[in-house]
Amino acid sequence: QIQLMESGGGSVQAGGSLRLSCVVYGYTFSTKCMGWFRQAPGKEREAVATIYTAGGSTTYTDSVKGRFTISQDNAKNTFYLQMNSLKPEDTAMYYCAADFFINSQSGHGCSTLRGAREYKYWGQGTQVTVSS
């Protein structure tokens, strides 16, 4: 069975950087869409970035474009979220997610418009706190 595990969260000052990692265990060849989500207290879980594992195409939510980068290392069965120029509003619990299918029920494919309900596998979350 496929299992995901995040790491790399922590506390940083505004302007700092963090690199989150998500290790995928199991039948990694079957996962097609990987995503990073975040959820702050009192707010909905939002998609931050996605990557299509086969083609390498990526998408980002507008608030992180130019600051965050999603990438993958197939040899290590791992994908990453490099976060630079962090802001206090980036503070949240960050989750990685994966699914077998590129095409989602909503028709948004592997993009940040794909909702949390459209991913089958999830990590446990890692906290990111950015102080001003």
Side-chain angles (χ1 to χ4, degrees):
Q1 186 63 272
I2 294 175
Q3 294 180 320
L4 282 67
M5 184 174 294
E6 307 99 329
S7 63
S11 298
V12 298
Q13 293 184 339
S17 298
L18 286 172
R19 186 196 191 199
L20 306 183
S21 300
C22 181
V23 181
V24 182
Y25 300 93
Y27 295 96
T28 59
F29 64 88
S30 65
T31 55
K32 305 298 182 183
C33 185
M34 309 291 193
W36 283 101
F37 285 75
R38 66 186 181 187
Q39 187 167 23
K43 296 185 178 181
E44 296 182 348
R45 186 170 298 188
E46 66 170 342
V48 176
T50 67
I51 186 166
Y52 170 46
T53 57
S57 299
T58 60
T59 70
Y60 300 91
T61 192
D62 287 344
S63 63
V64 308
K65 287 181 179 178
R67 300 189 297 120
F68 291 10
T69 303
I70 187 171
S71 62
Q72 62 183 357
D73 186 337
N74 291 330
K76 296 182 178 180
N77 296 322
T78 302
F79 66 107
Y80 307 93
L81 186 68
Q82 178 67 47
M83 304 185 294
N84 298 326
S85 301
L86 283 163
K87 304 175 181 179
E89 50 263 45
D90 295 318
T91 296
M93 184 73 74
Y94 283 71
Y95 302 87
C96 60
D99 199 80
F100 292 136
F101 301 101
I102 290 294
N103 295 322
S104 67
Q105 181 178 341
S106 64
H108 293 128
C110 189
S111 77
T112 53
L113 297 178
R114 185 187 184 118
R117 294 179 180 178
E118 298 177 280
Y119 290 85
K120 185 175 180 65
Y121 302 103
W122 289 85
Q124 82 286 357
T126 185
Q127 178 68 38
V128 172
T129 302
V130 184
S131 60
S132 60

